[in-house]
Amino acid sequence: MAKKRRPQTAAAAPAGTSAGAADAGSYPVVGARQPCPCGSGRRYKACHGRAAAQAATELVRRPFEGLPNESDWVAMRELVPAATARLTLKDGLPEGVPAVTLATVLPMAWPALRRESGEVLLGLQNDTASGDISRDLADTLIRALAAEPGTPVDAGRAAPDGPRLQDLLDLNAPFVPQVHSGFEFWLDGDEQPAGEVAASLESANEAAIPTARLSGVEGAYWCEAPEKNHLRWVMTHPEEQLLDALARLHAAGGSALGEPGDASGSGDGSRLVGSFRAHGLTVPVWDLPSGMRSEDCEKPAAAFAERLAEALAVTAPLTADERRARNGLTNRQVTLS
C-alpha cells in the first residue's frame, strides 16, 4: 500500500494576510521565490503563497463527511487492501469516459489512471498534498477526466478554493465497494501485465490480507490474520456517545458480537479489544476465533447492532463498572489519521 503521511495543522496566519487569503485562488501557483502573479512585487511565498500554504496544511477532520456511505470511504482508505467502487458524477460523464471507478490503490501508487478504453480509475490510498483529502482527490479526478487515454495521472496541488468530491459526485447515487482477493482489477480485460506493472501487481498481491465486507451492517469488514481473524467496524456515531455505549455493553457482558455470554462478553468467542480513530470516525475492533469467517459474522453483527442502538439511547451517567470499561477502551485507542 502507498505510505501515508499526516498533514500538520497550520499555525496562525501572519497579520495582514487576510486580504490575500480571500483571493489566493485567483492567481496561479508559482515557485515560492518567484514574483507573485498579483503584481505586488513581493515573492509568492510572502504574498498570496501564504494563504495557499495555510489552506494546504489545514486538516479537515472528516474529509468524507456528506458522501454516501462515509464509513465505507474510510474503510477503503485505511482498512481494505483491494477494493473498487463505481462513482457517479453529479453532471454526468464527459464524452469518451465510459465510467469512473474508485480504487483502494493503483499500480506504482499512481494517483489516477485513464485506461485506453477511456475509463478513469481514481486511487484512494495515496499521499495527498493538503490536509483535505476530498479536495485533493477532486483535483486528481478532474485532471484524470481530461487526460489522454492510456496514461497515468501524477499528483498535483489543488487550489485552496477548488471543488471537493462532495461538489463533483452525485450524493444520492449508491456507493457500494466491491472487495477483491487481489489487484487483478488493475488490468483492462485480457490485458497481460508487464514490466513495472507486473512487478507491482505481484508485490501487492503477496501483501494483501484476505478481507470481506459484511452485507448486513454498514462499514464492517472481516479480515484474516495469521493468528486470529478480526472484525473492524467503521461507525459514524459521535465518538463520546459511542464509547459510552460500548462501555455499557462491555460492563454488562454484551460486547461480543453474538449474544451476551460470560463476564468478558465473549459469548461467541469474539472479543472487543479496542478501537482506533480514522478521518473523524471511530472503528471498534474485535478479535475473532480463527475459524470464524465473514459469513459467520453476519448474524452476530446484526444482533450486536441492535444492542448497540439500545445502549446509544441510554443517557444515564455511567456506573463505576462502566467507567472502568470505558477507561479500558480509551487506553487502547489509536489514531490513524
Side-chain angles (χ1 to χ4, degrees), residues 70 111 118 149 247 255 297:
E70 178 188 6
S255 62
C297 296

Side-chain angles (χ1 to χ4, degrees), residues 100-191:
V100 175
T101 301
L102 182 73
T104 48
V105 70
L106 296 177
M108 293 170 286
W110 286 328
L113 169 68
R114 187 162 184 203
R115 286 177 163 164
E116 291 285 358
S117 64
E119 179 186 6
V120 166
L121 296 180
L122 179 66
L124 184 56
Q125 293 183 8
N126 292 72
D127 283 343
T128 56
S130 79
D132 187 351
I133 298 171
S134 178
R135 195 180 310 280
D136 291 331
L137 288 172
D139 176 73
T140 301
L141 175 57
I142 290 171
R143 291 185 291 109
L145 292 171
E148 290 293 325
T151 58
V153 177
D154 293 331
R157 183 178 293 277
D161 59 349
R164 308 177 74 236
L165 287 175
Q166 289 83 344
D167 303 315
L168 301 182
L169 302 182
D170 182 350
L171 303 184
N172 295 315
F175 179 83
V176 183
Q178 180 182 358
V179 179
H180 305 279
S181 59
F183 294 85
E184 282 70 22
F185 65 84
W186 287 353
L187 308 177
D188 197 359
D190 296 329
E191 176 189 0

